Amino acid sequence: MSFDHRDAGTSDSAWLATAEWASVQALGLGGVELLVVVAAHPDDETLGAGGLIATAHAAGIPVAVIVATAGEHSHPESKTFAPERLTVIRRAEVVGAIDALAPGAPVQLLGLPDGELRQNADSLTAAVRACIGDHAGVLVVSPWRGDGHPDHTAAGDAAAAAVEAAGATLVEYPIWGWHWGRPDSPAWPWQRLRTVPLGREAVAAKAVALGLHRSQTEPLSDAPGDEAIVSSSFAAHFRRDFETFFVADEPVAPNSHESLAQGYFDTFYEGRTDPWGFETRWYEERKRALTLAALPRRRFGSALEIGCSIGVLTAELADRVDDMLATDIAQAPLDAAAHRLAGRSEVRFERRALPQEWPDETFDLIVVSEVGYYLSPDRLDELVRRASDSLNDGGIVIACHWRHPVSDYPMRGDDVHEAFRRSAMLVRVGGYDDDDFLLDVFGRPGTASVASAEGLA
């Protein structure tokens, strides 16, 4: 998502006029024994959840706030305020704002680099997990991962990882989504939106707190580049007598016999450019290197990649393939992948739900990376069968999957690889495994090893 805070954006009156509000349910605080608020930058906590903080505090619910960065790069074009100066200013502002909302509430200022939260998300996850501790009834609120700001997405991902590990509850607050979004857009997930009504005291406390973030709501100076980030029209979204939060989709029960539907992936990619960190995580870079190293041939004539996502692995595979079909069930990642490989005529992108919409082609290489656990057992068996039937002579299937359990997924990575290993049409000819992922290379029975193929053995 690309937007500019200086644009007019969608007015608050346009949002409030939509009939969709009639179906939005309330988010209750019953059973909440600790509220943990995660902010990517100072002022996120006030804009997105200031009223909730004040409401919880007034109800006697303990509140803890974690601010990931100092927001030191909020004015990148400023010639008068250096990032170091903004760090000091914004830290003081957020401490004052939280004290106005929930006097005495603990605040953690992590000081992670502004604009680089994705690269430092593990530190934020650890901080949120430590804050949750062994408490029961914990509600964690974090920036909406579809908000369009990369730091907000990273903060939401970090909070989600901590919540999953601790068994807490997560809701996400939109900020910039009100600016670039539109009420009639199919990308706006109304079905997941919930509201928290705010009393007069909470509205007043939030107004005071927002006013304390002067470096964002007022110009730093009259110089170019020092303009206010939070304009009066943008601030109108946060002067309502209610706040809004997105809840998670209903999870698929563990060991469900249903494959994940297309809607799951469309929602997952809402406003998120790299939800799995393919471009930034060493884990992903290392896994790709091992995958490419495991391929037993230097070059392949034709290839099929199932679930190409945003095309990071696709780009590296393309260097070793003459003709490649890359597929995904969701359009947003396909568009990103096509943009990444623009001009690479050897790669074709198609939206397909596999194995049901299997292409009428045969291949020298079929790549099944991080997709098998989304399928039901029956669909997985169908995929294994279709893959083996679609191999040319000497063809290779390579499978790679995360081993740790994910509550949403019908299967685990180990289950996927077991399905391939029990196929009578395929034999394992290589691979790698560790605690995190499995990598298996399969060929038809009688497939020669690399050394045998080169006459070395």
Side-chain angles (χ1 to χ4, degrees):
M1 179 59 58
S2 177
F3 62 88
D4 191 319
H5 71 276
R6 293 166 292 194
D7 294 339
T10 304
S11 69
D12 194 51
S13 59
W15 281 106
L16 295 180
T18 182
E20 298 288 350
W21 290 106
S23 61
V24 174
Q25 302 174 41
L27 176 70
L29 294 179
V32 176
E33 298 181 17
L34 172 64
L35 175 66
V36 178
V37 179
V38 179
H41 316 97
D43 81 354
D44 291 343
E45 80 299 325
T46 298
L47 292 167
L52 177 63
I53 293 172
T55 300
H57 178 75
I61 300 173
V63 178
V65 181
I66 301 173
V67 185
T69 79
E72 65 272 18
H73 294 304
S74 64
H75 291 73
E77 299 176 9
S78 176
K79 305 298 183 184
T80 57
F81 281 70
E84 294 77 13
R85 186 179 178 188
L86 281 171
T87 293
V88 175
I89 292 172
R90 299 200 69 185
R91 281 180 167 177
E93 289 175 343
V94 72
V95 170
I98 294 168
D99 196 52
L101 296 167
V107 184
Q108 293 187 57
L109 306 177
L110 301 185
L112 301 174
D114 186 12
E116 300 179 15
L117 198 48
R118 173 63 64 192
Q119 297 91 314
N120 297 274
D122 289 348
S123 296
L124 179 54
T125 297
V128 177
R129 181 66 185 89
C131 191
I132 295 172
D134 296 325
H135 295 286
V138 180
L139 176 65
V140 177
V141 300
S142 68
W144 178 39
R145 284 174 281 179
D147 209 38
H149 191 300
D151 275 356
H152 290 195
T153 301
D157 283 342
V163 162
E164 182 178 359
T169 301
L170 177 70
V171 298
E172 303 176 9
Y173 52 84
I175 294 179
W176 289 109
W178 299 117
H179 178 72
W180 56 257
R182 297 194 325 274
D184 59 350
S185 170
W188 188 260
W190 283 104
Q191 73 281 4
R192 297 198 292 119
L193 198 65
R194 302 291 184 270
T195 59
V196 174
L198 305 178
R200 286 183 297 177
E201 295 82 2
V203 171
K206 182 172 180 176
V208 170
L210 184 55
L212 292 172
H213 287 287
R214 292 186 182 89
S215 69
Q216 306 304 294
T217 59
E218 301 175 6
L220 297 176
S221 76
D222 294 333
D226 285 356
E227 298 83 4
I229 302 299
V230 180
S231 66
S232 59
S233 60
F234 180 53
H237 302 301
F238 311 103
R239 297 194 186 105
R240 303 166 179 166
D241 60 359
F242 65 92
E243 285 181 337
T244 50
F245 301 89
F246 289 116
V247 299
D249 280 331
E250 289 296 321
V252 177
N255 301 316
S256 165
H257 293 296
E258 298 296 327
S259 300
L260 294 187
Q262 178 180 311
Y264 176 94
F265 300 96
D266 290 338
T267 299
F268 188 79
Y269 278 100
E270 285 172 4
R272 307 168 74 187
T273 57
D274 186 14
W276 279 285
F278 291 140
E279 297 174 313
T280 57
R281 288 179 175 155
W282 166 240
Y283 167 82
E284 294 292 346
E285 182 180 346
R286 171 179 176 266
K287 185 178 65 177
R288 286 196 301 275
L290 288 167
T291 300
L292 293 164
L295 294 175
R297 289 161 56 181
R298 180 179 286 115
R299 192 156 191 87
F300 297 85
S302 59
L304 168 66
E305 184 186 10
I306 302 171
C308 67
S309 187
I310 62 173
V312 180
L313 177 60
T314 314
E316 298 189 36
L317 289 168
D319 292 334
R320 296 174 60 175
V321 175
D322 296 331
D323 178 70
M324 184 172 183
L325 172 60
T327 71
D328 202 279
I329 194 173
Q331 190 62 47
L334 269 179
D335 291 343
H339 179 75
R340 183 186 303 276
L341 280 88
R344 298 290 297 268
S345 59
E346 69 272 28
V347 183
R348 296 170 285 139
F349 292 98
E350 294 181 7
R351 184 172 183 172
R352 290 175 178 263
L354 299 182
Q356 307 94 292
E357 300 172 346
W358 197 268
D360 187 21
E361 302 177 43
T362 58
F363 304 95
D364 299 315
L365 172 65
I366 298 175
V367 180
V368 187
S369 181
E370 307 291 10
V371 293
Y373 39 54
Y374 299 137
L375 303 176
S376 67
D378 288 347
R379 287 295 191 199
L380 177 61
D381 287 342
E382 181 183 354
L383 184 147
V384 173
R385 177 181 59 79
R386 286 183 176 274
S388 61
D389 288 347
S390 299
L391 280 183
N392 292 325
D393 291 341
I396 293 295
V397 176
I398 189 163
C400 183
H401 291 85
W402 175 253
R403 303 188 75 173
H404 302 286
V406 180
S407 60
D408 282 3
Y409 300 171
M411 305 188 76
R412 297 178 59 165
D414 286 42
D415 301 324
V416 175
H417 286 247
E418 177 57 32
F420 276 97
R421 291 175 181 180
R422 65 172 176 259
S423 169
M425 299 298 295
L426 298 172
V427 293
R428 186 177 185 272
V429 296
Y432 170 85
D433 70 88
D434 61 22
D435 291 343
D436 296 325
F437 72 91
L438 282 173
L439 173 65
D440 280 336
V441 183
F442 299 96
R444 293 265 181 83
T447 298
S449 70
V450 175
S452 295
E454 295 198 340
L456 303 175

